[in-house]
Amino acid sequence: SSGINAEYGGATVTVHCTGMLTAGLKKFWSTHDPGQRAFTFKAGVGQVIQGWDEGTMTMCLGEKSRISMTGDKGYGSGGFPAWGIPPNAGLTFELEVISIQ
């Protein structure tokens, strides 16, 4: 399988991503925005928000997916004020896996 799944736990994954507040699908960040670039992280080891860890573990190289999560799997009670994400906000991400190493 070319999925990130359990056999790839800890793999370095690079994604293109657009993040939106689930309410109204208001974009707060995208790797496609000017000056941004693809985002790289280790999958399944807690380097990113829980919703990303869980959502990307089932994705394959080249796959595009829309992942929605409740606030507790996003930025939680603190939100992410710098990006306009309020406390406990539901989030939706459009992800594309462009590399798995």
Side-chain angles (χ1 to χ4, degrees):
S1 161
S2 60
I4 298 168
N5 65 36
E7 67 185 288
Y8 290 91
T12 299
V13 180
T14 302
V15 297
H16 269 301
C17 166
T18 298
M20 299 162 279
L21 297 175
T22 300
L25 294 179
K26 181 181 180 215
K27 181 182 88 168
F28 56 81
W29 172 69
S30 178
T31 58
H32 296 290
D33 288 344
Q36 297 292 314
R37 59 182 157 198
F39 185 79
T40 300
F41 64 98
K42 280 192 182 277
V45 297
Q47 284 192 345
V48 292
I49 57 176
Q50 186 178 354
W52 270 37
D53 260 349
E54 292 177 2
T56 56
M57 291 298 281
T58 62
M59 293 179 69
C60 299
L61 183 62
E63 183 176 352
K64 293 180 183 181
S65 185
R66 181 177 273 205
I67 297 171
S68 294
M69 65 198 71
T70 54
D72 61 315
K73 300 219 177 182
Y75 293 101
S77 61
F80 198 124
W83 284 356
I85 300 171
N88 302 309
L91 303 175
T92 298
F93 290 94
E94 292 178 350
L95 296 171
E96 177 184 7
V97 176
I98 59 174
S99 172
I100 302 171
Q101 297 180 341

